[in-house]
Amino acid sequence: MPDTAHDDLLAGFTVPQPYTMEAVAGAPRAPGVHVVLDGGVVIYVGRTRRGLRDRLRQHLTGNRDSSVLHDQVGQLLDTPDNAASAADIADWLGRREVRWQETDSPEGTKEALVVALKPRFNRQLPKPRDANGGE
């Protein structure tokens, strides 16, 4: 049975596509929010104020210091004898799906999605902001 609340939250996002370098080559160079799905379930919500294309590529090719998603997937794939390589992480992500949405205010959209969906690879819920917009 489809999760209509989930569908409503992602209504403005692109259709799901494989999370590969070929797919992200079509992502815009604009600010926005992206979600990674595993079997239709959102497992990560990310945002960028710069370009979605570059940020999506960074998750696939970056390192554990440059991407929370890259780090979290690496920890999942690590074994006691072997740390997962960037290629292992990109391969795992390539078997998942990605969607994105352009927005000039990615922070609010990301926060709402993380609170509503509680994705497994987001480290923590965003900190509430005080009335003055500070942390």
Side-chain angles (χ1 to χ4, degrees), residues 3-14 32-37 41-48 52 99-103 105-122 124-126:
D3 180 349
T4 54
H6 176 269
D7 292 343
D8 289 348
L9 288 170
L10 300 179
F13 283 70
T14 60
V33 176
H34 55 283
V35 295
V36 179
L37 302 102
V41 175
V42 173
I43 59 172
Y44 180 77
V45 179
R47 60 129 178 111
T48 179
L52 279 162
R99 298 175 71 175
W100 59 81
Q101 175 187 54
E102 287 184 53
T103 176
S105 57
E107 294 84 0
T109 303
K110 176 185 175 177
E111 184 171 329
L113 289 172
V114 169
V115 168
L117 301 173
K118 298 174 180 56
R120 71 185 271 204
F121 287 126
N122 284 86
Q124 62 194 17
L125 295 177

Side-chain angles (χ1 to χ4, degrees), residues 46-100:
R47 60 129 178 111
T48 179
R49 290 185 200 146
R50 295 180 185 180
L52 279 162
R53 183 183 311 170
D54 290 341
R55 186 64 180 146
L56 290 167
R57 283 182 176 156
Q58 192 174 34
H59 289 316
L60 286 171
T61 63
N63 60 55
R64 294 187 187 203
D65 292 330
S66 68
S67 163
V68 169
L69 178 61
H70 195 89
D71 183 46
Q72 296 289 309
V73 172
Q75 289 180 38
L76 174 75
L77 300 176
D78 287 344
T79 65
D81 299 326
N82 187 38
S85 69
D88 295 334
I89 294 165
D91 182 60
W92 190 92
L93 287 169
R95 296 190 305 273
R96 303 313 177 272
E97 292 180 314
V98 65
R99 298 175 71 175
W100 59 81

